[in-house]
Amino acid sequence: MTDGKEDKPADPMDDWASALAEQTSAEATTTAAPPAATPAAATVFQPLERDVASGFHNDIEMILDIPVQLTVELGRTKVPIKSLLQLAQGSVVELDGLAGEPMDVLVNGYLIAQGEVVVVNDKFGIRLTDIITPSERIRKLNK
């Protein structure tokens, strides 16, 4: 204790926020200025305040607190029960994913993005590198 105040443990979210800010500032200094926005792009990205005024905000608030299961998948494999029963501590299970390949991010079992592993203060996370568009998701559902 110093100067009469309790020392509080650092918030882990602050670590992630500072790592993200550091990455963003590094990317901003290394990339060139983006091309001027086209009028079509300006109509696609509209401020959130317009949605609130139109009643959209009230509709989406109903589902914002619904929990979903987020899964990051390294790879998959099929093994016979005989091999499964022979597994012990230190056993290695070969997966179909390759080293360095992006990992799949699934929400409730549906692929929504791909990303790469990041480590901040000995905690694992995933940096999203590719978001699956809604039309791609629908196309995959139809297969």
Side-chain angles (χ1 to χ4, degrees), residues 13-24:
M13 293 307 291
D14 289 341
D15 295 335
W16 287 106
S18 63
L20 183 60
E22 182 179 313
Q23 175 192 351
T24 304

Side-chain angles (χ1 to χ4, degrees), residues 103-125:
M103 287 175 281
D104 293 338
V105 179
L106 302 116
V107 171
N108 290 345
Y110 293 100
L111 180 69
I112 62 142
Q114 291 185 319
E116 58 189 25
V117 173
V118 293
V119 180
V120 175
N121 290 345
D122 296 328
K123 301 240 183 206
F124 289 104

